Short mmCIF file of all heavy atoms in Angstrom, two decimals:
data_model
loop_
_atom_site.label_atom_id
_atom_site.label_comp_id
_atom_site.label_asym_id
_atom_site.label_seq_id
_atom_site.Cartn_x
_atom_site.Cartn_y
_atom_site.Cartn_z
N SER A 7 11.07 59.72 15.75
CA SER A 7 11.83 60.93 15.46
C SER A 7 11.36 61.45 14.12
O SER A 7 10.99 60.69 13.24
CB SER A 7 13.33 60.64 15.43
OG SER A 7 13.64 59.69 14.44
N SER A 8 11.36 62.77 13.97
CA SER A 8 10.82 63.38 12.76
C SER A 8 11.52 64.68 12.48
O SER A 8 11.86 65.41 13.42
CB SER A 8 9.33 63.63 12.93
OG SER A 8 8.85 64.52 11.95
N PRO A 9 11.79 64.99 11.22
CA PRO A 9 12.33 66.30 10.91
C PRO A 9 11.36 67.42 11.27
O PRO A 9 11.77 68.57 11.37
CB PRO A 9 12.54 66.24 9.38
CG PRO A 9 11.61 65.17 8.90
CD PRO A 9 11.57 64.18 10.02
N HIS A 10 10.08 67.08 11.50
CA HIS A 10 9.10 68.10 11.82
C HIS A 10 8.97 68.36 13.31
O HIS A 10 8.36 69.35 13.72
CB HIS A 10 7.72 67.68 11.29
CG HIS A 10 7.58 67.83 9.82
ND1 HIS A 10 7.42 66.76 8.98
CD2 HIS A 10 7.60 68.92 9.04
CE1 HIS A 10 7.33 67.20 7.73
NE2 HIS A 10 7.43 68.50 7.74
N GLY A 11 9.44 67.47 14.16
CA GLY A 11 9.20 67.66 15.59
C GLY A 11 10.12 66.84 16.45
O GLY A 11 10.98 66.12 15.98
N LYS A 12 9.92 66.93 17.78
CA LYS A 12 10.80 66.24 18.72
C LYS A 12 10.49 64.75 18.75
O LYS A 12 9.46 64.29 18.28
CB LYS A 12 10.60 66.84 20.11
CG LYS A 12 9.20 66.67 20.66
CD LYS A 12 9.06 67.37 21.99
CE LYS A 12 7.65 67.18 22.55
NZ LYS A 12 7.49 67.85 23.86
N SER A 13 11.42 63.98 19.35
CA SER A 13 11.23 62.54 19.46
C SER A 13 10.19 62.22 20.53
O SER A 13 10.07 62.92 21.53
CB SER A 13 12.55 61.86 19.80
OG SER A 13 13.49 62.06 18.77
N LEU A 14 9.45 61.16 20.29
CA LEU A 14 8.46 60.69 21.25
C LEU A 14 8.64 59.18 21.43
O LEU A 14 9.14 58.50 20.53
CB LEU A 14 7.04 60.97 20.77
CG LEU A 14 6.63 62.44 20.59
CD1 LEU A 14 5.25 62.50 19.97
CD2 LEU A 14 6.63 63.16 21.92
N ALA A 15 8.22 58.67 22.56
CA ALA A 15 8.31 57.23 22.80
C ALA A 15 6.90 56.67 23.00
O ALA A 15 6.01 57.36 23.50
CB ALA A 15 9.16 56.95 24.03
N TYR A 16 6.72 55.40 22.61
CA TYR A 16 5.43 54.75 22.84
C TYR A 16 5.66 53.27 23.08
O TYR A 16 6.63 52.68 22.61
CB TYR A 16 4.48 54.98 21.67
CG TYR A 16 4.90 54.34 20.36
CD1 TYR A 16 4.39 53.10 19.96
CD2 TYR A 16 5.80 54.97 19.50
CE1 TYR A 16 4.75 52.52 18.77
CE2 TYR A 16 6.16 54.40 18.30
CZ TYR A 16 5.64 53.18 17.93
OH TYR A 16 6.01 52.60 16.74
N ASP A 17 4.76 52.66 23.86
CA ASP A 17 4.86 51.25 24.23
C ASP A 17 3.77 50.39 23.60
O ASP A 17 3.81 49.18 23.72
CB ASP A 17 4.76 51.11 25.76
CG ASP A 17 5.92 51.78 26.47
OD1 ASP A 17 7.05 51.32 26.29
OD2 ASP A 17 5.67 52.77 27.18
N GLU A 18 2.80 51.02 22.94
CA GLU A 18 1.64 50.27 22.44
C GLU A 18 1.21 50.82 21.10
O GLU A 18 1.34 52.02 20.83
CB GLU A 18 0.48 50.36 23.44
CG GLU A 18 -0.76 49.56 23.03
CD GLU A 18 -1.93 49.79 23.97
OE1 GLU A 18 -1.77 50.50 24.99
OE2 GLU A 18 -3.04 49.28 23.65
N ILE A 19 0.68 49.94 20.27
CA ILE A 19 0.07 50.33 19.00
C ILE A 19 -1.42 50.02 19.09
O ILE A 19 -1.81 48.90 19.44
CB ILE A 19 0.69 49.57 17.82
CG1 ILE A 19 2.15 49.98 17.63
CG2 ILE A 19 -0.10 49.83 16.54
CD1 ILE A 19 2.89 49.14 16.61
N ILE A 20 -2.26 51.01 18.81
CA ILE A 20 -3.70 50.81 18.76
C ILE A 20 -4.09 50.53 17.31
O ILE A 20 -3.69 51.26 16.40
CB ILE A 20 -4.46 52.05 19.27
CG1 ILE A 20 -4.13 52.29 20.75
CG2 ILE A 20 -5.97 51.88 19.08
CD1 ILE A 20 -4.75 53.56 21.31
N VAL A 21 -4.86 49.48 17.09
CA VAL A 21 -5.37 49.16 15.76
C VAL A 21 -6.81 49.62 15.69
O VAL A 21 -7.67 49.14 16.44
CB VAL A 21 -5.25 47.66 15.44
CG1 VAL A 21 -5.82 47.38 14.04
CG2 VAL A 21 -3.80 47.22 15.52
N SER A 22 -7.09 50.59 14.82
CA SER A 22 -8.42 51.16 14.70
C SER A 22 -8.90 50.98 13.26
O SER A 22 -8.31 51.52 12.32
CB SER A 22 -8.39 52.66 15.06
OG SER A 22 -9.67 53.23 15.00
N ARG A 23 -9.95 50.22 13.09
CA ARG A 23 -10.51 49.93 11.75
C ARG A 23 -9.42 49.46 10.79
O ARG A 23 -9.37 49.84 9.63
CB ARG A 23 -11.22 51.15 11.20
CG ARG A 23 -12.51 51.51 11.95
CD ARG A 23 -13.14 52.79 11.40
NE ARG A 23 -13.40 52.71 9.98
CZ ARG A 23 -14.47 52.19 9.42
NH1 ARG A 23 -15.41 51.67 10.18
NH2 ARG A 23 -14.62 52.18 8.11
N GLY A 24 -8.52 48.63 11.31
CA GLY A 24 -7.49 48.02 10.47
C GLY A 24 -6.23 48.85 10.30
O GLY A 24 -5.27 48.38 9.68
N LYS A 25 -6.19 50.06 10.85
CA LYS A 25 -5.01 50.91 10.73
C LYS A 25 -4.32 51.06 12.09
O LYS A 25 -4.98 51.12 13.13
CB LYS A 25 -5.39 52.29 10.19
CG LYS A 25 -5.95 52.26 8.77
CD LYS A 25 -4.95 51.71 7.76
CE LYS A 25 -5.51 51.69 6.35
NZ LYS A 25 -4.56 51.10 5.37
N LYS A 26 -3.00 51.13 12.06
CA LYS A 26 -2.20 51.19 13.28
C LYS A 26 -1.87 52.63 13.64
O LYS A 26 -1.50 53.42 12.77
CB LYS A 26 -0.90 50.40 13.09
CG LYS A 26 -1.10 48.94 12.74
CD LYS A 26 0.22 48.26 12.43
CE LYS A 26 0.03 46.80 12.02
NZ LYS A 26 1.33 46.16 11.66
N VAL A 27 -1.99 52.93 14.94
CA VAL A 27 -1.65 54.26 15.45
C VAL A 27 -0.81 54.09 16.71
O VAL A 27 -1.19 53.34 17.61
CB VAL A 27 -2.92 55.07 15.79
CG1 VAL A 27 -2.55 56.44 16.36
CG2 VAL A 27 -3.80 55.23 14.56
N PRO A 28 0.34 54.74 16.81
CA PRO A 28 1.14 54.64 18.03
C PRO A 28 0.42 55.32 19.19
O PRO A 28 -0.05 56.46 19.05
CB PRO A 28 2.44 55.37 17.67
CG PRO A 28 2.06 56.30 16.56
CD PRO A 28 0.98 55.61 15.80
N PHE A 29 0.31 54.63 20.30
CA PHE A 29 -0.40 55.18 21.46
C PHE A 29 0.57 56.00 22.30
O PHE A 29 1.40 55.48 23.03
CB PHE A 29 -1.01 54.06 22.29
CG PHE A 29 -1.72 54.55 23.53
CD1 PHE A 29 -2.56 55.66 23.47
CD2 PHE A 29 -1.55 53.92 24.75
CE1 PHE A 29 -3.21 56.12 24.60
CE2 PHE A 29 -2.20 54.38 25.88
CZ PHE A 29 -3.03 55.48 25.81
N VAL A 30 0.44 57.32 22.17
CA VAL A 30 1.24 58.27 22.95
C VAL A 30 0.27 58.98 23.88
O VAL A 30 -0.46 59.89 23.45
CB VAL A 30 1.96 59.28 22.04
CG1 VAL A 30 2.80 60.24 22.86
CG2 VAL A 30 2.82 58.56 21.01
N PRO A 31 0.20 58.59 25.17
CA PRO A 31 -0.84 59.12 26.07
C PRO A 31 -0.84 60.63 26.22
O PRO A 31 -1.89 61.22 26.47
CB PRO A 31 -0.53 58.43 27.40
CG PRO A 31 0.20 57.18 27.02
CD PRO A 31 1.01 57.55 25.82
N THR A 32 0.31 61.27 26.07
CA THR A 32 0.34 62.72 26.21
C THR A 32 -0.38 63.42 25.05
O THR A 32 -0.76 64.58 25.15
CB THR A 32 1.79 63.23 26.28
OG1 THR A 32 2.51 62.75 25.13
CG2 THR A 32 2.47 62.73 27.54
#
């Protein structure tokens, strides 16, 4: 959830070069 936008859901975190990114397929 964010004051900038709508809520999103995710089930996986992708680790790319040591940094985490929530995997939101849409």
Side-chain angles (χ1 to χ4, degrees):
S7 61
S8 165
H10 285 114
K12 63 184 181 180
S13 297
L14 297 174
Y16 65 97
D17 296 295
E18 182 186 355
I19 294 172
I20 296 175
V21 179
S22 182
R23 291 177 56 85
K25 296 299 181 182
K26 301 174 183 178
V27 178
F29 178 44
V30 181
T32 55

